[in-house]
Amino acid sequence: MNFSLSSKAITATKTDCLVIAVPEKGEWPETTKAADEALGGLIKQLEKAGDLTGKNASVNTLPLVDQPWQRVVVVGTGKDSDRTPANFRKALIAMMGALKDGPSKSALICLADTSLQGEDAVSSEEARLNLIGRILEDQLYTFTEFKSEKPAARKLKKVVVQASGSAKALKDAFNQGLATGRGMNYTKDLGNTPPNICHPVWLAEQAKNMAKEYDCIKTEVLDEKQMEKLGMNTILAVGKGSKQPPRLIVMEYRGGKAKDKPYVLVGKGITFDTGGISLKPGEGMDEMKYDMGGSASVFGTMKVLAETKPKINVVAVIAAAENMPDGGASRPGDIVTTLSGMTVEILNTDAEGRLVLCDALTYVKKFDPEAVVDMATLTGACIIALGNQATGLLSNNDELAHELLAAGERTGDRAWRLPLWDEYQSQLDSNFADMANIGGRPAGTITAACFLSRFAKDYRWAHLDIAGTAWNSGKAKGATGRPVPLLVDYLMTHAG
């Protein structure tokens, strides 16, 4: 697909399809006025006749004859007072639903001059172009690698987005959005890949391939022997029941000054989670291929950095393992010594994500990080608490937490902060080790983060529980690409 920006008059851009916005109530955007004038007042006539309601996310396709365009797609953008960034995203998604599989080979999208309510930062043209770019890539995504019959190729090959000018800031914002969308799609690809292919060694190969594709990425992979020598016993304990050996994957992007401390991303990479000896129920277990969603989002974010080359240093660490039951698997009651030297009593082998993450969180101290953000499909309790809308966020630093929450609000990839109070720590008490790996049913998301916090005391740290947001179930089953937008926005605000 070819994407570009244009600031020419809309009638000067040769295209099959014109996309314009009509509000339910409020001032028309300038591009809509220009389109109506070019069409001899047709849009205004249809609006007065009630054929165009302007209700948010409504879409009408108008075939044309002897006009500058073969068809016009009219997108309803609701009332001015209700046009929040979230509602604008819905309108963009509806527009792409009509456009992507339609008959047009090319389209000119004139939606960036639609004014928004809500956050000031989101209502700028740069932010709207960023969002449009992201939605274009995100909504054009398909995953058909394992289909024996491939769907017919889409007719749409070229998309031009109308902008108010040719300023570099507008182009950069649009390209940033496109790159973020591609990062989301890469995250989806990894998540949707079946677990008989996507295992820890395969994930490590993807990291090596990224380093080959992008000169700015450096990759190192630690195998089981190297991890054993270091004392990373909890990652090894999780992988003991599988024929697929665990891997610790390290990717470095150094775009900032040599003296600048890196921001570190840590991803849980459980490529399939049966629960181990604490076996999960069979129903829905196929979705446990998404238990590497944290690592997939790290890959996606690194791809965005490699494409856009911001002036920032970022280190990505992925703890990859497969949690399977067999005669060599870890048992409930086993006690393991972590890389930090602290001991853990494994009361439930299905609480394995925190076990691979704790060694990774200890390992990243070597980078002297500016901040560390881990992301993991960690607890079902987070889905019960927040559903599939918000990512759970817990942190030992208020400033870091507020920055991540703000990034989520700006991008619509929202998170909600939960408490990390000392009073919860006692739920992890063990009679036989320094701590247990579970704290009982109450506050399961919080006690999981409490466990991780014990290994993150030496730096600013935040934990993102993406159990409810990394993938969709049911008819729309598939990875979502979250929280790549949140992570990219957060990192870009710290780029020089």
Side-chain angles (χ1 to χ4, degrees):
M1 188 71 67
N2 180 278
F3 299 109
S4 62
L5 281 186
S6 173
S7 58
K8 298 187 295 186
I10 62 172
T11 52
T13 300
K14 187 177 180 181
T15 187
D16 294 347
C17 178
L18 178 71
V19 181
I20 58 174
V22 169
E24 183 177 0
K25 185 178 181 181
E27 185 75 12
W28 277 14
E30 291 303 315
T31 52
T32 303
K33 295 176 183 177
D36 188 51
E37 183 178 351
L39 295 171
L42 174 64
I43 306 301
K44 180 63 72 175
Q45 291 174 24
L46 292 172
E47 183 188 44
K48 286 183 177 180
D51 293 292
L52 301 176
T53 65
K55 290 186 180 298
N56 193 59
S58 62
V59 178
N60 296 85
T61 300
L62 311 177
L64 302 175
V65 179
D66 296 329
Q67 297 289 356
W69 313 281
Q70 294 178 17
R71 62 193 58 84
V72 173
V73 172
V74 182
V75 182
T77 54
K79 300 175 182 177
D80 285 359
S81 58
D82 295 337
R83 196 174 306 117
T84 61
N87 283 333
F88 186 55
R89 280 191 296 275
K90 292 177 183 178
L92 292 176
I93 292 170
M95 174 269 295
M96 285 304 298
L99 191 62
K100 63 184 179 183
D101 293 319
S104 299
K105 295 179 180 179
S106 60
L108 174 62
I109 297 176
C110 301
L111 299 178
D113 59 347
T114 298
S115 61
L116 306 185
Q117 300 298 320
E119 300 87 347
D120 291 339
V122 184
S123 57
S124 70
E125 186 180 8
E126 290 176 26
R128 293 194 293 271
L129 286 170
N130 182 299
L131 179 60
I132 290 170
R134 188 182 106 202
I135 296 296
L136 285 173
E137 288 282 10
D138 178 38
Q139 292 300 306
L140 287 169
Y141 175 80
T142 59
F143 187 77
T144 59
E145 183 175 348
F146 299 94
K147 295 277 192 180
S148 56
E149 292 187 18
K150 306 297 183 185
R154 285 178 172 140
K155 294 182 179 180
L156 186 66
K157 301 296 182 184
K158 181 180 179 181
V159 174
V160 180
V161 175
Q162 187 74 12
S164 64
S166 58
K168 183 177 183 299
L170 297 179
K171 293 180 180 178
D172 288 348
F174 181 59
N175 288 332
Q176 181 72 59
L178 291 171
T180 301
R182 288 191 292 270
M184 293 175 70
N185 290 346
Y186 184 42
T187 294
K188 295 179 208 173
D189 278 346
L190 294 174
N192 290 332
T193 299
N196 58 318
I197 292 173
C198 177
H199 49 68
V201 174
W202 184 85
L203 265 188
E205 288 300 319
Q206 308 318 299
K208 292 176 183 177
N209 291 340
M210 184 176 286
K212 291 177 183 177
E213 183 177 357
Y214 301 104
D215 292 339
C216 55
I217 298 288
K218 176 184 175 184
T219 293
E220 179 185 10
V221 177
L222 276 63
D223 63 23
E224 63 271 34
K225 292 181 179 179
Q226 291 169 298
M227 287 190 280
E228 184 178 8
K229 187 175 181 180
L230 287 173
M232 306 184 84
N233 298 311
T234 49
I235 296 179
L236 296 173
V238 172
K240 281 170 60 179
S242 174
K243 292 182 179 180
Q244 300 292 346
R247 290 290 183 266
L248 188 80
I249 304 165
V250 181
M251 294 180 283
E252 294 188 48
Y253 169 82
R254 299 282 180 175
K257 298 177 182 177
K259 65 178 181 179
D260 293 344
K261 293 183 178 182
Y263 292 82
V264 176
L265 305 178
V266 177
K268 171 187 170 184
I270 302 298
T271 56
F272 193 76
D273 182 20
T274 65
I277 298 298
S278 306
L279 193 66
K280 293 178 179 291
E283 184 179 358
M285 193 190 285
D286 64 288
E287 295 187 6
M288 287 301 96
K289 70 177 185 177
Y290 295 117
D291 212 19
M292 44 68 72
S295 65
S297 63
V298 171
F299 270 102
T301 302
M302 295 300 285
K303 180 177 177 65
V304 178
L305 297 177
E307 288 190 6
T308 58
K309 296 180 173 57
K311 295 179 180 179
I312 189 174
N313 295 328
V314 179
V315 176
V317 176
I318 291 166
E322 186 178 60
N323 189 21
M324 300 287 283
D326 84 346
S330 294
R331 297 155 291 247
D334 284 0
I335 293 177
V336 182
T337 302
T338 67
L339 178 60
S340 71
M342 292 187 286
T343 58
V344 177
E345 182 183 13
I346 302 174
L347 295 181
N348 189 319
T349 63
D350 194 23
E352 85 298 329
R354 65 202 73 182
L355 296 177
V356 299
L357 286 174
C358 72
D359 274 353
L361 289 172
T362 301
Y363 182 82
V364 302
K365 287 195 293 185
K366 65 180 286 186
F367 298 107
D368 188 23
E370 179 66 33
V372 176
V373 181
D374 81 67
M375 54 235 61
T377 49
L378 205 64
T379 65
C382 195
I383 304 175
I384 301 302
L386 299 176
N388 304 109
Q389 304 303 319
T391 290
L393 186 155
L394 301 98
S395 179
N396 64 8
N397 183 275
D398 288 342
E399 181 183 14
L400 174 59
H402 293 155
E403 289 176 349
L404 290 167
L405 289 170
E409 290 296 330
R410 285 191 295 268
T411 58
D413 186 7
R414 293 186 291 182
W416 189 262
R417 191 178 185 185
L418 298 171
L420 193 67
W421 299 334
D422 287 340
E423 288 81 354
Y424 291 105
Q425 293 282 357
S426 61
Q427 290 180 230
L428 297 170
D429 288 349
S430 166
N431 289 349
F432 309 108
D434 295 331
M435 70 194 84
N437 76 323
I438 57 171
R441 289 180 61 83
T445 301
I446 295 170
T447 55
C450 284
F451 179 92
L452 297 177
S453 72
R454 300 185 181 197
F455 302 88
K457 292 181 178 179
D458 295 332
Y459 44 73
R460 299 192 308 146
W461 161 80
H463 163 64
L464 297 175
D465 192 328
I466 59 172
T469 55
W471 80 92
N472 294 318
S473 298
K475 189 175 181 180
K477 183 191 295 185
T480 63
R482 297 179 65 183
V484 171
L486 182 157
L487 294 171
V488 170
D489 186 279
Y490 165 73
L491 293 172
M492 292 304 174
T493 60
H494 291 283

